[in-house]
């Protein structure tokens, strides 16, 4: 019986039980997250020193935007994820359960990059917010923006930003 254990043993048993429950919840969350699928779309960044092609996964539904690039162990330099918010709004992102450093490019409704959060910290709950309303956020592997010379003011070419 548990009553024969000392209070230290009971605390240890509670800790182990909480740890096991936490591990099971994380595994269930990861399994549910793996069930979210994304359509892919080509995207071009028109920068001052050239045009750069990427294949991006589209995060358009609430479930897709919530999942993002979490639990990915790698991301190729020519791949990314485009978060579409549907209309301009202040965007807030984070790196919870995201193992790969990312560059977050905040994009206005016309496709212009308004700001870049470079090399975001993996696994961080720190909020990364747009300074102004944006239509979308493009996530690329950390360091890609600097490597290619992509800067605020450059334009993202994608059907999402086609002028009416």
């Amino acid at each position: 019986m548990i009553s024969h254990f000392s209070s230290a043993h009971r605390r240890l048993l509670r800790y182990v039980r909480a740890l096991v429950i936490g591990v099971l919840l994380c595994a269930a969350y990861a399994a549910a997250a793996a069930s979210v699928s994304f359509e892919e779309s080509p995207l071009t960044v028109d920068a001052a020193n050239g045009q750069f092609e990427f294949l991006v996964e589209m995060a358009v539904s609430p479930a897709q935007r919530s999942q993002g690039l979490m639990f990915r162990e790698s991301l190729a330099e020519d791949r990314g994820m485009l978060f579409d918010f549907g209309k301009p709004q202040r965007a807030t992102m984070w790196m919870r359960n995201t193992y790969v450093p990312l560059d977050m490019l905040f994009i206005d409704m016309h496709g212009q990059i308004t700001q870049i959060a470079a090399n975001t910290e993996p696994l961080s709950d720190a909020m990364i917010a747009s300074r102004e309303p944006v239509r979308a956020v493009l996530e690329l592997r950390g360091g890609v923006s600097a490597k290619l010379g992509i800067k605020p003011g450059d334009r993202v070419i994608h059907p999402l930003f086609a002028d009416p």
Side-chain angles (χ1 to χ4, degrees):
M1 278 194 144
I2 199 163
S3 62
H4 295 287
F5 291 117
S6 69
S7 63
H9 286 112
R10 284 191 293 263
R11 281 193 307 272
L12 178 61
L13 286 173
R14 283 194 303 269
Y15 173 77
V16 169
R17 184 177 22 213
L19 184 63
V20 168
I21 290 170
V23 167
L24 292 173
L25 287 173
C26 284
Y29 183 73
S35 68
V36 175
S37 62
F38 301 89
E39 288 187 32
E40 294 182 335
S41 179
L43 174 146
T44 301
V45 176
D46 187 11
N49 60 337
Q51 290 192 335
F52 304 100
E53 305 288 328
F54 298 93
L55 184 61
V56 297
E57 295 175 75
M58 299 296 299
V60 296
S61 73
Q64 290 169 326
R65 288 192 302 266
S66 177
Q67 170 64 33
L69 291 170
M70 289 194 302
F71 304 108
R72 308 280 179 101
E73 295 181 6
S74 64
L75 182 64
E77 284 192 7
D78 65 343
R79 301 292 303 240
M81 183 168 285
L82 184 62
F83 292 76
D84 176 15
F85 300 112
K87 61 182 179 185
Q89 60 184 299
R90 292 204 183 263
T92 304
M93 310 292 282
W94 64 6
M95 293 290 291
R96 176 178 288 174
N97 299 318
T98 305
Y99 305 131
V100 180
L102 299 173
D103 289 346
M104 295 182 186
L105 290 68
F106 294 84
I107 308 164
D108 71 13
M109 63 187 285
H110 303 292
Q112 184 174 24
I113 299 169
T114 60
Q115 77 186 71
I116 298 174
N119 278 308
T120 56
E121 180 184 351
L123 304 173
S124 172
D125 282 345
M127 294 296 171
I128 303 161
S130 64
R131 289 183 215 111
E132 58 191 64
V134 295
R135 166 71 191 262
V137 173
L138 173 61
E139 291 183 341
L140 302 173
R141 190 167 96 188
V144 168
S145 296
K147 179 179 178 180
L148 299 177
I150 298 171
K151 299 184 183 317
D154 291 342
R155 182 165 163 72
V156 174
I157 302 168
H158 185 271
L160 186 69
F161 307 110
D163 290 325

